[in-house]
Amino acid sequence: ETGVTQTPRHLVMGMTNKKSLKCEQHLGHNAMYWYKQSAKKPLELMFVYNFKEQTENNSVPSRFSPECPNSSHLFLHLHTLQPEDSALYLCASSPPGRTFGGYTFGSGTRLTVV
Amino acid sequence: GESVGLHLPTLSVQEGDNSIINCAYSNSASDYFIWYKQESGKGPQFIIDIRSNMDKRQGQRVTVLLNKTVKHLSLQIAATQPGDSAVYFCAENINSGNTPLVFGKGTRLSVIA
């Protein structure tokens, strides 16, 4: 366990479904991130939150909607996804605005859109 | 485009041999670099980092080398073990932490017993 917990570990959803991914950390970090990991592609940054405020949206389609109710929890709400959205979605956290020491990642949610 | 990349997508080594994984970066403003290891079914895990004011940093069985002249980063694993089989990513950071990490594509290391 890294201290960053993601649920569910696996998710299969239809293109008309609505689902949510959850990320939780109790490391005292105040920055949280969503990354998308697809086959043969680098990790793609999606969203960044610092102290519950979204500080970066990396041109992510609106069918992905993040929510950060507090510094320990991060959600990714999904609706009307496309098959090409199938990927591993990784959550990470770090001390605010500081990457020294890197990010702590969760194990990810393996998403399959059918 | 991305500024971090890897020379080889796959690497196979015999158990006990040393492994070298390479990474090229194109942004001369990058001043902090990290190597991550990702095992199957897990998220990336921090291995070792290096700041741009250093050329070499050693950890337990791992060494990171930084050549700023040619914008090249490498990870050396001594006496490679089966547990080292994973995908290895380099990541760079600009402005000492005020921007998010940028990751490379990754190299899969397979250890042959």
Side-chain angles (χ1 to χ4, degrees):
Chain A
E1 286 297 326
T2 64
V4 178
T5 303
Q6 290 188 244
T7 53
R9 291 296 306 274
H10 301 273
L11 178 62
V12 179
M13 61 185 289
M15 289 188 282
T16 58
N17 291 160
K18 290 185 180 181
K19 296 287 184 182
S20 296
L21 310 185
K22 180 182 177 182
C23 177
E24 183 174 356
Q25 59 88 12
H26 297 288
L27 300 170
H29 293 167
N30 286 301
M32 297 187 78
Y33 312 82
W34 279 117
Y35 278 87
K36 177 183 178 181
Q37 188 174 36
S38 306
K40 302 180 182 178
K41 283 187 178 180
L43 282 164
E44 299 175 78
L45 179 67
M46 299 176 72
F47 302 104
V48 181
Y49 278 82
N50 279 290
F51 293 98
K52 303 187 299 179
E53 297 298 320
Q54 187 180 125
T55 56
E56 186 145 347
N57 177 337
N58 203 22
S59 302
V60 181
S62 59
R63 58 186 184 269
F64 296 91
S65 175
E67 178 189 2
C68 189
N70 54 61
S71 295
S72 298
H73 294 84
L74 184 66
F75 295 89
L76 188 62
H77 303 301
L78 316 171
H79 66 96
T80 59
L81 294 192
Q82 304 299 312
E84 59 265 28
D85 296 322
S86 298
L88 181 67
Y89 288 85
L90 289 161
C91 173
S93 70
S94 73
R98 181 171 70 87
T99 53
F100 293 141
Y103 300 163
T104 302
F105 282 88
S107 295
T109 295
R110 173 69 62 185
L111 174 67
T112 303
V113 181
V114 297
Chain B
E2 59 177 317
S3 63
V4 177
L6 288 158
H7 293 307
L8 298 172
T10 60
L11 178 65
S12 296
V13 298
Q14 291 286 340
E15 182 178 359
D17 287 353
N18 296 334
S19 302
I20 299 176
I21 301 171
N22 297 303
C23 178
Y25 66 96
S26 59
N27 195 328
S28 58
S30 295
D31 56 9
Y32 178 60
F33 304 87
I34 304 174
W35 279 101
Y36 279 91
K37 172 186 181 183
Q38 186 174 19
E39 297 175 89
S40 180
K42 296 184 179 180
Q45 292 179 287
F46 175 95
I47 301 174
I48 191 168
D49 59 359
I50 189 168
R51 300 190 189 194
S52 58
N53 61 351
M54 302 173 68
D55 297 322
K56 178 179 179 179
R57 188 157 189 238
Q58 288 184 291
Q60 187 176 12
R61 285 201 305 118
V62 294
T63 301
V64 55
L65 298 177
L66 176 62
N67 186 330
K68 295 181 286 293
T69 302
V70 295
K71 300 187 183 69
H72 185 267
L73 190 70
S74 69
L75 177 70
Q76 299 179 359
I77 305 173
T80 311
Q81 302 169 0
D84 295 327
S85 295
V87 177
Y88 291 81
F89 297 92
C90 62
E92 67 174 316
N93 185 236
I94 302 167
N95 198 20
S96 299
N98 291 323
T99 56
L101 289 173
V102 175
F103 288 84
K105 287 189 176 69
T107 292
R108 180 172 299 279
L109 175 65
S110 296
V111 181
I112 304 166

